[in-house]
Amino acid sequence: TVASFVPIIVASVSSTLVTQYFFGGEPAFTVGTEHTYSVLEIPYLVLGGLIIGAFAAGFIQLIQAFARLASWPFYLRVTLAGGITAACALVLPQVLGVGYDTVNQIMVSEVSMLLLIGLLFAKALCSAATVGIGMPVGLIGPTMVIGACLGGIFGDALYHWQGIDLSSG
């Protein structure tokens, strides 16, 4: 019913007003303009969508695998998730936190392919471990980082395949 949407609308409008008052009307992420260079990109994008969908299914399976540890005492599960996260953070500190800065860097092509691949798997592993074991964490930020990494990998591969220089705009 329409009445059930009123609180959602009020919350959305009030949060937008408060956010714009304190942080201004700037967008959260800087997104450059994209160009379509060839109709040959379409099959590549479809392939990318299929691979990203398969990665998402694998991510869900990984969360469920960690959720099977529910019989372990909570302190052991938290120690396991903390150990996984700490080990990943020693190599890739970008796995820590929400990752908005990393997403911005990926969107403006400031991240190498090797870092994208490493961060993709490290963030997926850390996020699946913490969510799967039952820690009170969110998935919005981590999935944005994972999606940005996947998009960056496919975008960078497409540009190299077509011989386009990303640094020129």
Side-chain angles (χ1 to χ4, degrees):
T1 64
V2 174
S4 64
F5 285 106
V6 170
I8 296 170
I9 294 168
V10 170
S12 297
V13 170
S14 61
S15 66
T16 300
L17 291 173
V18 169
T19 302
Q20 287 185 355
Y21 178 78
F22 285 107
F23 299 109
E26 306 273 329
F29 300 106
T30 305
V31 181
T33 58
E34 296 297 322
H35 304 283
T36 303
Y37 294 97
S38 169
V39 75
L40 295 175
E41 292 177 12
I42 294 173
Y44 181 80
L45 295 174
V46 170
L47 175 66
L50 292 172
I51 292 172
I52 290 169
F55 190 89
F59 180 64
I60 292 168
Q61 292 296 318
L62 190 58
I63 291 172
Q64 291 173 344
F66 280 107
R68 289 188 204 104
L69 303 176
S71 62
W72 288 19
F74 186 70
Y75 73 91
L76 285 178
R77 291 183 285 151
V78 170
T79 302
L80 175 64
I84 290 170
T85 303
C88 290
L90 286 173
V91 179
L92 295 165
Q94 295 89 341
V95 300
L96 299 175
V98 179
Y100 292 147
D101 292 339
T102 304
V103 171
N104 263 331
Q105 290 175 339
I106 293 169
M107 293 177 91
V108 294
S109 302
E110 292 180 355
V111 180
S112 72
M113 179 69 89
L114 185 61
L115 179 59
L116 285 172
I117 294 169
L119 185 58
L120 168 67
F121 289 104
K123 190 68 169 181
L125 177 63
C126 294
S127 299
T130 55
V131 169
I133 67 153
M135 291 183 71
V137 297
L139 275 174
I140 294 172
T143 54
M144 284 177 42
V145 173
I146 292 168
C149 287
L150 283 165
I153 290 167
F154 282 103
D156 198 35
L158 177 65
Y159 285 120
H160 282 91
W161 173 58
Q162 291 186 339
I164 300 166
D165 183 17
L166 284 177
S167 63
S168 65

